[in-house]
Amino acid sequence: MVTDLGGFCAALYKRGIRFVQVPTTLLAQVDASVGGKTGIDFQNFKNQLGVFQTPAAVFIEPRFLNTLEPRQLKSGYAEVVKHWLIADAAAFEHHRRTGFFVDEWGPIIHESVLTKERIVAADPLESGLRKVLNFGHTVGHALESYLLSQPGREILHGEAVAVGMICESWISITRGILTEEELDKIETFLFSVFEKVQFVTLETDAIAELALQDKKNAGSTINCTLLEGIGNAIYDQPVSVDEIASSLRYYHRLLS
Ligand SMILES: NC(=O)c1ccc[n+]([C@@H]2O[C@H](COP(=O)([O-])OP(=O)(O)OC[C@H]3O[C@@H](n4cnc5c(N)ncnc54)[C@H](O)[C@@H]3O)[C@@H](O)[C@H]2O)c1
Ligand SMILES: [Zn+2]
């Protein structure tokens, strides 16, 4: 959160000053401090204010993670898993087998930053390819925003993205571009790391409606990133509010 807020303020102050990032959460180290995008939540919607502003440098020290709450560590891990799912099938397969246990974060952070940097370098202003980084975020942000407006039910960003990755993988299956076996691997791994997020089926339409707020949309079409097999993402896939609600009902069935 501090990398977003700090970057945003640095971009506005005197029309922009040089700044460096020293991210101290896993999420900020592998994602928020890389790529120069800042996003500030506004009126209960995610990332409604923001600018692109690249830091002069980013200093990453994995030892910061020694004091981070396990729940916060897992939240950042969701973005690491996202990078594997969209761009590195071999890493996903490896870590799926070894599980969440990590004794050395340095190499994982390094690989994850390289993946994001490679994608950002090809499309710095998100006119195309960079949108693959939004995998899990169409449904994830809708759920995160919905629960943000309900005191006591707020969840962390990565926890919402983990739900979003399951829902958007399920939508990928309905399009015939991901197999049931692949979804099963994704689900089993994510549920081994993250608590299930509770909501009731009556809420699914209201949550899905919030996806209309997403900045990647064109008019009333919701543009989503889907998986064409593990390790390969495709962006700008139009999905309907109904499909998003159905994917949330699919997730809900996994809660029991
Ligand atoms: N701009 C981007 O590209 C981008 C990418 C991904 C996520 N985000 C945004 O990042 C935000 C979440 O950021 P976050 O996960 O870093 O959360 P955060 O900044 O809220 O930090 C989480 C908690 O950890 C504490 N903390 C931080 N470092 C610590 C340390 N080393 N030891 C102990 N405690 C520590 C903080 O005080 C805070 O209570 C979300 O709003 C999300 O939308 C932005
Ligand atoms: Zn994210």
Side-chain angles (χ1 to χ4, degrees):
M1 197 281 279
V2 181
T3 60
D4 277 302
L5 196 56
F8 185 68
C9 293
L12 296 189
Y13 186 65
K14 298 188 176 178
R15 292 206 194 96
I17 54 171
R18 276 163 54 83
F19 66 106
V20 299
Q21 300 275 27
V22 185
T24 62
T25 64
L26 178 61
L27 187 140
Q29 293 181 345
V30 299
D31 198 354
S33 67
V34 186
K37 207 158 97 169
T38 62
I40 310 290
D41 301 352
F42 185 57
Q43 295 179 332
N44 278 341
F45 293 120
K46 283 293 298 174
N47 296 347
Q48 296 295 298
L49 309 178
V51 288
F52 284 96
Q53 187 83 339
T54 311
V58 180
F59 299 110
I60 297 177
E61 172 50 81
R63 276 179 296 176
F64 276 120
L65 305 183
N66 295 344
T67 53
L68 197 62
E69 296 280 347
R71 193 177 164 195
Q72 294 289 350
L73 198 64
K74 288 182 175 183
S75 177
Y77 193 68
E79 305 282 13
V80 175
V81 175
K82 178 193 76 180
H83 289 155
W84 295 333
L85 287 175
I86 61 172
D88 194 344
F92 175 77
E93 191 55 28
H94 172 76
H95 289 279
R96 181 181 82 79
R97 288 169 189 279
T98 54
F100 173 63
F101 175 76
V102 174
D103 56 0
E104 211 192 335
W105 281 103
I108 290 186
I109 296 168
H110 186 70
E111 284 299 317
S112 216
V113 168
L114 287 182
T115 299
K116 179 161 182 185
E117 263 187 354
R118 183 167 49 75
I119 294 168
V120 169
D123 175 23
L125 298 183
E126 198 166 318
S127 43
L129 179 71
R130 185 172 177 163
K131 294 179 191 172
V132 297
L133 292 165
N134 294 316
F135 175 61
H137 285 63
T138 301
V139 179
H141 274 161
L143 181 65
E144 190 182 354
S145 295
Y146 181 80
L147 295 175
L148 196 64
S149 65
Q150 309 239 336
R153 294 181 70 196
E154 302 91 341
I155 55 173
L156 301 180
H157 177 70
E159 293 168 340
V161 171
V163 178
M165 290 194 286
I166 291 175
C167 292
E168 293 171 23
S169 297
W170 179 82
I171 297 174
S172 306
I173 285 210
T174 65
R175 302 283 172 95
I177 55 175
L178 192 74
T179 65
E180 301 239 352
E181 192 191 349
E182 286 173 306
L183 174 64
D184 187 56
K185 284 182 185 173
I186 295 169
E187 245 169 51
T188 307
F189 183 49
L190 288 174
F191 282 135
S192 74
V193 181
F194 296 93
E195 299 277 314
K196 291 177 174 166
V197 175
Q198 300 292 331
F199 53 84
V200 295
T201 45
L202 271 176
E203 295 178 300
T204 51
D205 287 339
I207 299 169
E209 289 280 335
L210 287 173
L212 289 166
Q213 292 293 330
D214 202 284
K215 292 184 301 306
K216 298 179 294 300
N217 300 340
S220 59
T221 307
I222 299 170
N223 279 330
C224 191
T225 293
L226 298 177
L227 288 187
E228 199 170 45
I230 289 175
N232 188 39
I234 48 173
Y235 57 88
D236 278 351
Q237 300 300 302
V239 297
S240 65
V241 171
D242 280 351
E243 278 180 293
I244 291 179
S246 300
S247 75
L248 285 160
R249 283 194 286 277
Y250 169 77
Y251 179 88
H252 188 267
R253 287 199 290 280
L254 303 172
L255 292 179
S256 50

